[in-house]
Amino acid sequence: MENVRDPREHYNEEPRHDLMDVVLGFGGMLGFMTVVFAVAVIVKFVIS
């Protein structure tokens, strides 16, 4: 491997699933924000 800047010489060693990463990230953040919202609503009702 003489030319280390040549992208054709570098093989993708681990398969990447970009769409699945986005879906899991979005779903995880949505779930986390749903839990935060539910806790905030419960705290509001307990305070008032």
Side-chain angles (χ1 to χ4, degrees):
M1 192 184 316
E2 298 171 10
N3 189 3
V4 296
R5 307 285 265 167
D6 190 0
R8 293 172 296 178
E9 304 265 338
H10 296 275
Y11 299 105
N12 193 2
E13 295 177 5
E14 64 180 52
R16 301 183 189 279
H17 304 286
D18 292 333
L19 179 62
M20 189 54 69
D21 288 340
V22 170
V23 168
L24 289 177
F26 186 83
M29 195 63 183
L30 181 66
F32 175 71
M33 285 299 175
T34 302
V35 169
V36 169
F37 174 74
V39 169
V41 168
I42 292 170
V43 167
K44 182 184 180 305
F45 279 128
V46 166
I47 289 174
S48 61

